[in-house]
């Protein structure tokens, strides 16, 4: 069947999981996860694949091996279209609603070096400034891992110092759970935002690219 929206049960499932993030709760409500969360997300991403490419759905389980927070389950379901390693498009459903994003999410040292070199150069940095300015002007939020101070080797008065502080960079938008999230109109929202992220993703693919170093 085609995508027809996320039912109320998807949000109720995550509200309950936030209140009781336990194996017992998940086991008792796994049918809701499979039917109200995972199945609609699969249907949505399958319909989007023709334009944007296939998506990977993340598992519901958290990796708690090195985390202080030992709760076993993620309180959201995400899906990612990878254009290049760690660069691509994202959609997520949670108790807070629907959110989308596009950009680079984690970087190795060589990628950060290429990113900052490209931001520093006017010929490549000014286009990124225009792209991010257009996104924030349309209500998107710029996010990512960033330094609180200037990166080494750059002056505080650099015209693109805020972009230079980033180690990862993506734009995002969150939609609260309103009536349209229960309908096929979700696809239109995701399509519109993913298209808006296109210039940022293209810039990152051109200038940051995949890592040439092994990831630990």
């Amino acid at each position: 069947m085609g995508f027809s929206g996320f039912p109320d049960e998807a949000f109720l499932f995550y509200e309950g999981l936030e209140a009781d993030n336990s194996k017992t709760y998940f086991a008792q409500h796994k049918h809701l996860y499979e039917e109200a969360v995972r199945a609609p997300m699969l249907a949505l991403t399958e319909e989007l694949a023709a334009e944007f490419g296939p998506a990977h759905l993340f598992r519901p389980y958290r990796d708690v091996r090195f985390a202080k927070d030992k709760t076993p389950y993620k309180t959201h379901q995400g899906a990612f279209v990878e254009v290049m390693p760690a660069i691509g498009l994202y959609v997520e459903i949670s108790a807070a609603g629907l959110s989308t994003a596009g950009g680079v999410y984690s970087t190795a040292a060589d990628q950060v070096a290429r990113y900052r070199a490209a931001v520093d150069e006017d010929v490549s940095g000014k286009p990124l400034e225009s792209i991010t300015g257009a996104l924030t002007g349309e209500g998107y939020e710029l996010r990512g891992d960033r330094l609180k101070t200037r990166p080494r080797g750059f002056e505080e008065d650099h015209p693109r110092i805020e972009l230079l502080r980033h180690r990862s960079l993506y734009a995002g938008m969150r939609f609260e759970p309103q009536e349209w999230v229960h309908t096929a109109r979700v696809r239109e929202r995701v399509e519109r935002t993913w298209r808006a992220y296109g210039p940022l993703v293209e810039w990152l693919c051109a200038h940051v690219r995949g890592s040439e170093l092994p990831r630990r």
Side-chain angles (χ1 to χ4, degrees):
M1 294 180 63
F3 176 72
S4 58
F6 291 97
D8 278 331
E9 289 80 3
F11 303 97
L12 293 173
F13 168 79
Y14 280 119
E15 287 175 2
L17 186 61
E18 288 182 357
D20 180 12
N21 195 320
S22 68
K23 293 181 179 180
T24 300
Y25 173 88
F26 193 88
Q28 291 177 345
H29 299 84
K30 189 174 181 180
H31 65 287
L32 288 181
Y33 169 75
E34 295 290 347
E35 297 168 9
V37 177
R38 182 174 175 80
M41 183 66 81
L42 278 171
L44 172 63
T45 54
E46 286 172 0
E47 291 187 8
L48 294 168
E51 179 175 353
F52 301 101
H56 165 74
L57 265 65
F58 293 103
R59 296 175 55 179
Y61 313 104
R62 296 183 63 247
D63 184 353
V64 300
R65 289 173 298 173
F66 307 107
K68 292 182 180 179
D69 179 2
K70 298 299 182 181
T71 51
Y73 300 102
K74 299 172 184 175
T75 55
H76 59 268
Q77 175 65 64
F80 184 61
V81 176
E82 186 173 74
V83 182
M84 278 189 170
I87 302 174
L89 301 162
Y90 180 74
V91 59
E92 175 186 295
I93 190 78
S94 70
L98 178 84
S99 61
T100 68
V104 61
Y105 296 86
S106 64
T107 51
D110 59 319
Q111 291 175 299
V112 175
R114 286 195 296 274
Y115 168 78
R116 288 186 174 145
V119 174
D120 185 36
E121 291 289 336
D122 284 348
V123 68
S124 48
K126 285 185 175 180
L128 178 61
E129 194 173 27
S130 296
I131 290 167
T132 55
L135 285 166
T136 55
E138 293 173 7
Y140 296 93
E141 182 182 353
L142 289 185
R143 305 169 185 162
D145 179 29
R146 62 193 299 273
L147 301 175
K148 294 181 179 180
T149 59
R150 64 178 177 83
R152 185 177 301 175
F154 297 97
E155 298 299 326
E156 192 67 42
D157 62 352
H158 191 288
R160 290 177 292 280
I161 190 62
E162 292 303 320
L163 288 171
L164 285 167
R165 287 194 173 103
H166 281 266
R167 291 179 55 85
S168 60
L169 175 66
Y170 55 95
M173 181 172 285
R174 181 178 296 280
F175 303 95
E176 294 184 359
Q178 300 175 353
E179 284 302 313
W180 61 266
V181 301
H182 307 312
T183 73
R185 291 173 57 196
V186 170
R187 175 179 170 176
E188 300 171 8
R189 297 289 181 107
V190 178
E191 285 175 333
R192 175 169 57 81
T193 59
W194 279 9
R195 288 168 186 156
Y197 306 138
L200 175 59
V201 171
E202 290 172 7
W203 189 96
L204 292 166
C205 287
H207 297 286
V208 177
R209 308 189 303 279
S211 176
E212 298 165 4
L213 301 176
R215 292 184 179 272
R216 294 181 180 271

